[in-house]
Amino acid sequence: MIYALVACRHDNGVRIALSNATNADIRCVAVLAHFVTVDLPVIAAGDTHRFTLVDTGDGGLAFARHDMGPMMLENLLCGMHADWSRSVGNTDLSAGGGHDRTFRCATDGDRLDCRAP
């Protein structure tokens, strides 16, 4: 999934926006290379959280900034904050081409889906 992000990268990186289209708080976890996880801030109903993936500059993949150095973003897992483990779903990072990627997070049955509009 990261390869689609790389194809559209530019000097400023790939900007990601997670938009909460539900009526409750959602929580997302970034899964980085080697199974390191980073909790993103809770996103209130109607709000958007933005972050930028960066380029290593050596023709490598797009990476997320992390205390241990740049690490590849492997997945974004988002769910309802009040019941995360039962509602968590994957984010299709390959969707929504370009260097600005917005993912609309909405419930699909019991799960939270984050998809490019």
Side-chain angles (χ1 to χ4, degrees):
M1 76 185 98
I2 198 72
Y3 296 104
L5 291 172
V6 173
C8 298
R9 70 178 181 222
H10 63 93
D11 291 341
N12 294 323
V14 177
R15 292 182 292 272
I16 304 291
L18 295 169
S19 176
N20 182 353
T22 74
N23 60 1
D25 293 347
I26 66 172
R27 181 169 65 94
C28 297
V29 174
V31 180
L32 305 179
H34 309 298
F35 306 104
V36 172
T37 60
V38 175
D39 289 326
L40 300 177
V42 171
I43 307 169
D47 282 352
T48 300
H49 175 71
R50 292 176 175 80
F51 63 97
T52 302
L53 299 178
V54 297
D55 187 338
T56 61
D58 61 2
L61 298 174
F63 283 73
R65 295 187 190 276
H66 186 268
D67 291 345
M68 297 180 342
M71 299 178 79
M72 183 175 71
L73 176 68
E74 294 181 354
N75 204 349
L76 286 171
L77 304 175
C78 296
M80 302 306 295
H81 185 58
D83 193 10
W84 193 82
S85 63
R86 285 188 5 162
S87 63
V88 66
N90 288 318
T91 302
D92 183 4
L93 294 174
S94 66
H99 60 270
D100 290 313
R101 309 268 177 113
T102 298
F103 297 95
R104 182 180 179 272
C105 300
T107 53
D108 183 14
D110 292 335
R111 297 244 181 238
L112 183 73
D113 277 337
C114 296
R115 299 179 183 175

